[in-house]
Each structure stands twice: as structure tokens, then as C-alpha cells.
Amino acid sequence: MSRTRNRNFPWWHQQFVDNGYRITEPRQAILKVLNKTAGHLSVEDIYHQVHKRYSNIGLTTVYRTVGLLENMGIVRKLDFGDGRARYELSKGPQAIHHHHLICKNCGKVIDYKEYLDNELKFVNKVEGLLEKKYNFKIDSHQLSFYGLCEKCK
Amino acid sequence: MSRTRNRNFPWWHQQFVDNGYRITEPRQAILKVLNKTAGHLSVEDIYHQVHKRYSNIGLTTVYRTVGLLENMGIVRKLDFGDGRARYELSKGPQAIHHHHLICKNCGKVIDYKEYLDNELKFVNKVEGLLEKKYNFKIDSHQLSFYGLCEKCK
DNA sequence: TTGCTTATTGAAAATGATTCCCATTTCCAA
DNA sequence: TTGGAAATGGGAATCATTTTCAATAAGCAA
Ligand SMILES: [Mn+2]
Ligand SMILES: [Mn+2]
Ligand SMILES: [Zn+2]
Ligand SMILES: [Zn+2]
């Protein structure tokens, strides 16, 4: 057995290194929560989860980390109109491309993955068009449908 | 000339009446601003505009009215990540169905209207599917593309 | 028109999410 | 191992939005 350190780094490790960001305990803990917990987590949600194991990690750090992850494209910031930002993974093995169906009355949110192929075709066309016409470099999109859920309609 | 009152009500008038909402000066002033001013207005933007003519109308009223209009489907609430809500007409002669292209760096927002027919076809399909599968009543959608603008890329 | 009922309003205070500050700690390249 | 920059955490500060409540004014009935 060599004393070689475990090279089985998490999927996001290299991206941190490439950006010159340090791999700290708070960051690892937060990423772990994001990987393990499904759904649309608020900063407080994450904070509470993280707090179970690391009661020393501060709320401010969660805010900062989540912001960092957003800039890195690892996480996506969502606004469902409940007054607080929510986050979900946009990279990594857990992340599945999807969009949202939102109830305007009770705020229920459904992740849906239907029509991915059609969407891909459609979205690619629009992206190409927009990139050319407006000289943008597009790297993501978001599609949301709004209405009333089963219970609320 | 008859003394008959002008029946040339603004397009949103009937919707107010139908809902039992009163047609007040603040509400008229705010609607007028929304109709006249293009773009994505923050509550403060609206407040400042309105204030030019009606310096007595309060900020709170703008918040309330804009919320009312959102519930009525007259206005759409947008989040471009700058920490304040923004609004645009979603009904009336000024409203043109469109989506947004957003620069993640400088926050520039472009309204685009391309590919409307393709989109309509695609969106209708998805809507139908989602309504059936999740038993929702869908009444609107939002599509946004994110990237870097000409200057920022 | 006049009065009445009650929705609406405005000012000020409260709230609450997010950011800022800064002294202290931690990562990690050399 | 160590110096220095990056990161942290806790409390204060911000600032958009909401709440409160007394005053006002739409709109309906008479
Ligand atoms: Mn989701
Ligand atoms: Mn727009
Ligand atoms: Zn609902
Ligand atoms: Zn830009």
C-alpha cells in the first residue's frame, strides 16, 4: 500500500483547481449537500443541512459559496417568487436537464423532462439565430410554464 | 355635443370592473406609465415616472398596484438578478409576445421575437403534454437565454 | 346629487433576505 | 514547514418589499 493520497476526487474538484479556488471544508460540505439533496434549496436549506455536521460553518459562507458555484456554472439560481433564491445543480452526475412547471397559486414546482429531443432541436435553432443576430455567446437557457396545479385550479 | 361621459375606456378598464376593483387615480396613472414606457420597469422606475405628475402617489401604492396587475395577468414580473423585481405589460395593444436574452456579466437584456411560429408549435405541444400528465391548467410560459453579450464576451 | 360603506391609499415602521466589514483562520505553493 | 493571499464567520448594514393603521375617496343606493 502506498501512502499516495486518494485521487478519487469529486467531479467538481478539477474545476476548482482550474479556477484557482481553494478546496475548503465549507465548500466541500456545501457541495456534498447539493449533490445529496434533491430539489430546489434555499440558502437557508443548505445552511441547515450543512449545519448538522459542521455547526461552525456560517450562513455568510453559504451565500458566498453558492454565488461562487453559480459563476462557475455548477449551480443554477432560480426564482420561484417566494422571496428567496433557490439553487439546483446544473452540472455533475446528478444534474439532469429539465424545466419547471409552477403553480401560481400555491407555488408548487414540478421538474419535467418531457420533449427533450424536440426541445433540443428548437432551442438549438433559436440559440444559433440569436447568437448571430445579437452577437451573444449563449451558454444556457431556462423555460418555465406557469398555471394552476391540480389542487388549485 | 352631449354631456355623455367618454366611453372610450382604456383596454384594461373592463377587467377592473369585472373583478370589482375600483378605478382610482393612482391605478390609472400607473397603467398609463406602463403603457407609455417601454422596457422592464422596476417599482421605483414606475414610482418616479408617476411622481412627475402625481407627486402624492406613494411607493407602497405602486407596489400594491403592480401586484394586483400581476394577479390580473396584465403585467408580468421578471427577475433579471439585479435584486429588484421588474415588470412589463403582458396584455394590451403594446404587449408583444417575446422572450429574453440576458448577459450574465453586465445584465443587458434583449427582447427578442424570433422564431415565433416554431416556438408556438413547440410550446403548444409541451403545454398539452404537461397539462395532461400533471393535471395543470397552464396559462403562460417564459423562456430565457443566458450568455455573454457582444461587449462582455 | 348626497351619503354610506368599504376598498384604497400613504407614511412610517417592520421585516427579512442578502451583502458588507474586518479580525481571524486556513489553504497551499514554494 | 511557512508566508501570504484567500476564505471564513459573526455581527452590523443594506435595501427591497410588506405590514400597520388612520385618513381618504370610489361607487352604489337612495
Ligand atoms: Mn428543477
Ligand atoms: Mn421583455
Ligand atoms: Zn397549486
Ligand atoms: Zn454584457
Side-chain angles (χ1 to χ4, degrees), chain A residues 103 105-106 149 152:
Chain A
C103 176
N105 185 244
C106 70
C149 77
C152 296

Side-chain angles (χ1 to χ4, degrees), chain B residues 103 105-108 149 152:
Chain B
C103 176
N105 184 244
C106 70
K108 177 176 186 179
C149 77
C152 295

Side-chain angles (χ1 to χ4, degrees), chain B:
Chain B
M1 287 299 168
S2 79
R3 309 213 292 77
T4 308
R5 204 185 304 140
N6 176 23
R7 300 224 171 289
N8 206 16
F9 293 126
W11 58 270
W12 44 263
H13 184 107
Q14 194 53 49
Q15 207 178 336
F16 268 71
V17 174
D18 291 344
N19 284 289
Y21 297 142
R22 294 179 181 176
I23 315 269
T24 67
E25 189 169 72
R27 286 172 178 176
Q28 299 184 58
I30 291 166
L31 259 317
K32 198 172 290 181
V33 165
L34 285 167
N35 274 296
K36 287 212 164 85
T37 316
H40 309 112
L41 289 71
S42 69
V43 170
E44 273 217 320
D45 291 339
I46 299 171
Y47 174 69
H48 286 317
Q49 290 296 320
V50 161
H51 210 262
K52 290 178 183 170
R53 274 198 188 290
Y54 306 89
S55 62
N56 52 307
I57 296 180
L59 181 60
T60 305
T61 296
V62 180
Y63 271 104
R64 276 188 297 234
T65 301
V66 128
L68 188 77
L69 296 176
E70 192 196 355
N71 290 335
M72 295 173 76
I74 287 178
V75 128
R76 189 172 18 243
K77 188 180 191 176
L78 303 170
D79 171 35
F80 294 136
D82 65 343
R84 70 202 61 203
R86 295 186 170 275
Y87 296 86
E88 68 181 9
L89 281 183
S90 57
K91 271 188 185 165
Q94 313 298 326
I96 300 172
H97 183 83
H98 67 276
H99 294 304
H100 297 117
L101 179 52
I102 303 156
C103 176
K104 298 200 293 188
N105 184 244
C106 70
K108 177 176 186 179
V109 178
I110 289 177
D111 284 0
Y112 75 86
K113 305 150 197 86
E114 278 78 15
Y115 262 98
L116 279 195
D117 34 322
N118 287 52
E119 187 203 308
L120 196 63
K121 213 181 297 174
F122 167 69
V123 160
N124 282 342
K125 258 188 200 164
V126 180
E127 269 195 24
L129 189 73
L130 295 178
E131 291 204 326
K132 193 174 299 177
K133 175 156 184 181
Y134 298 108
N135 199 19
F136 260 64
K137 176 76 199 70
I138 297 176
D139 58 40
S140 64
H141 67 269
Q142 243 174 270
L143 173 59
S144 303
F145 287 89
Y146 298 88
L148 296 176
C149 77
E150 186 167 28
K151 289 176 186 168
C152 295
K153 74 182 175 185

Side-chain angles (χ1 to χ4, degrees), chain A residues 40 78 88 98 100 111:
Chain A
H40 309 112
L78 303 170
E88 69 181 8
H98 68 276
H100 297 116
D111 284 0

